[in-house]
Amino acid sequence: MSTSREQSVTGPGEFLAAYPGYESTAALDRLRSTEYAYLDDGVVYLDYAGAGLAATAQLRAHRDRLAERCFGNPHSENPTSKAATEVVEQARRAVLAHLNADPEEYCAIFTANASAACRIVGEAYPFARGSRFVVSSDNHNSVIGMREFARARGAQVVHVPIDTPELRISDSAVHTALRPRPGLGRPGHTRRGLFAYPAQSNFTGVQHPLEWVRIAHENGYDVLLDAAAYLPTNELDLRVVQPDFVPISWYKLFGYPTGVGCLVARRAALAGLRRPWFAGGTIAAVSLQGDWHVMTDDESAFEDGTLNFLSIPDVAFGIGWLREIGLDMVHRRVACLTGWLLDRLRSLVHDNGAPMVRIYGPADTRRRGGTVAFNFLDPDGVVVDERLVAAESAAAGISLRTGCFCNPGAGEGAFGIELPILRRLFRTRLATVEEYVTALGLPSGGAIRVSLGLPSTLADVETFLRFAESAYRNRPATVAGLRPRERC
């Protein structure tokens, strides 16, 4: 067998032979050298699932807009207020156009981030006894956390299991979870509850079928489709795929602005939500002594207080920036680099022939995005602690992510943690993450996640691979001197 040292001798020619489509994305290299030049200062950024990066053109546009015009709080009729309202409404239209959403059917609600969008739905959805919250096990905490609202109102919570070796969820598992039960009404006539799943996993990069939206509707469910990890490199057409709620964090797509997200919602589904409180900007009329209030009859009923009116226009610019570049080109580049990264990780071996890497999720680019989760293994197959990789990759100037990535279901699937074990475990009182990891007998507290995006290059991937091989090839795993884990 060839050793990893022999296999590590690669070059652009070998890469291009395997992924010829990469050459058609050369325009992104030119953008990288101009709009993302700050990456040339020794930065190897591999955490696009955590946050996209901003082009300098975005920052210039923000500066120029504020320097050229005065904007005031939009809740008024004065000139500066109207100026702010105008650019906010332009951003709403840009959001809907980007998703090819009919403005008569959908609206865009500005939030702080995707998590805030999920909370709006969770706290206002009409959960009740007899209704259900069906949630895929592969989900971000912000979506899973909605189950607390459902349970508090007596709804049944159903987790759709991860049931394939690639950490995908099978269609049959979804059908089983959604299938009608006696006494809950006929499909298409009454809503049984809410089905929530991500278009793309933030842990494994798995892209779950968008067809599930239609299947859920046919079985009488509203659908929340988490698009936060999907949209940076993929088109989502809401005239074709028609979820009821779509949470988005814009910094995931193009880095700036942070602190601005969206809930894109079907107007018919939004009308069924009942907010448990009101705030400034959400009401048409209110009386203190009369103890009554009337919510506004549009999306502003879900936008609490003053919007981030100085940053929301940056969303419109970012969308325009991304569309001018071309999402198809970004998708093609990320797919090529992801395929190469997976190929090379699978090829890494120790001198004794043992693999250096265990990949969680799909080992190829079929139905997956540019997020790759894995652990390093030592020559005896022992998992290298993710804390060691976090410290050593940071020292090498590489920005990646380690841990469970706020996705406990995918983590439990990756590490083979089954429900009977968890039931026994939670009979005891655990105070720390370290106690949890020890009690489960896990070899590590999480995985390593490398994710790629618009400015990523072959050099970024190769730099990481050289680091990986030089740092962990033939090296025994050790936990000596590592600080205790403070959180997942």
Side-chain angles (χ1 to χ4, degrees), residues 102-107 238-239 242 265-268:
D102 182 353
E104 295 297 317
E105 184 176 7
Y106 283 93
C107 64
L238 294 189
R239 293 181 190 263
Q242 297 184 311
R266 292 182 74 171
R267 295 184 185 276

Side-chain angles (χ1 to χ4, degrees), residues 101-310:
D102 182 353
E104 295 297 317
E105 184 176 7
Y106 283 93
C107 64
I109 299 163
F110 286 111
T111 64
N113 44 44
S115 296
C118 291
R119 179 172 180 171
I120 285 174
V121 178
E123 71 178 3
Y125 192 82
F127 292 117
R129 292 192 180 279
S131 67
R132 308 174 90 213
F133 178 48
V134 180
V135 57
S136 66
S137 293
D138 182 5
N139 246 317
H140 193 279
N141 275 337
S142 299
V143 178
I144 295 173
M146 294 168 63
R147 71 186 184 188
E148 302 306 311
F149 292 114
R151 282 179 175 157
R153 297 178 200 138
Q156 180 188 15
V157 176
V158 178
H159 297 133
V160 188
I162 297 170
D163 59 350
T164 74
E166 287 191 327
L167 302 183
R168 298 185 188 275
I169 295 171
S170 67
D171 289 345
S172 61
V174 172
H175 281 283
T176 298
L178 295 175
R179 65 188 175 193
R181 295 187 302 148
L184 287 182
R186 291 176 295 161
H189 289 261
T190 58
R191 283 294 184 230
R192 294 191 172 82
L194 183 65
F195 174 46
Y197 77 99
Q200 179 173 310
S201 172
N202 73 309
F203 191 116
T204 62
V206 163
Q207 291 184 341
H208 298 294
L210 299 178
E211 176 70 8
W212 290 352
V213 174
R214 180 188 61 78
I215 292 170
H217 282 161
E218 289 177 351
N219 281 279
Y221 290 84
D222 293 312
V223 180
L224 182 143
L225 180 69
D226 179 8
Y230 183 81
L231 285 175
T233 58
N234 297 276
E235 297 270 8
L236 180 62
D237 188 336
L238 294 189
R239 293 181 190 263
V240 177
V241 182
Q242 297 184 311
D244 300 280
F245 307 104
V246 183
I248 303 168
S249 282
W250 294 110
Y251 72 92
K252 301 273 186 175
L253 275 73
F254 33 73
Y256 183 84
T258 58
V260 179
C262 254
L263 173 64
V264 176
R266 292 182 74 171
R267 295 184 185 276
L270 199 66
L273 301 188
R274 295 292 179 266
R275 302 208 69 187
W277 79 307
F278 63 89
T282 64
I283 52 173
V286 61
S287 171
L288 173 66
Q289 296 181 75
D291 195 24
W292 64 269
H293 69 278
V294 178
M295 303 295 286
T296 61
D297 61 359
D298 58 15
E299 58 267 32
S300 65
F302 296 86
E303 293 175 333
D304 302 327
T306 301
L307 291 172
N308 188 350
F309 60 90
L310 294 183

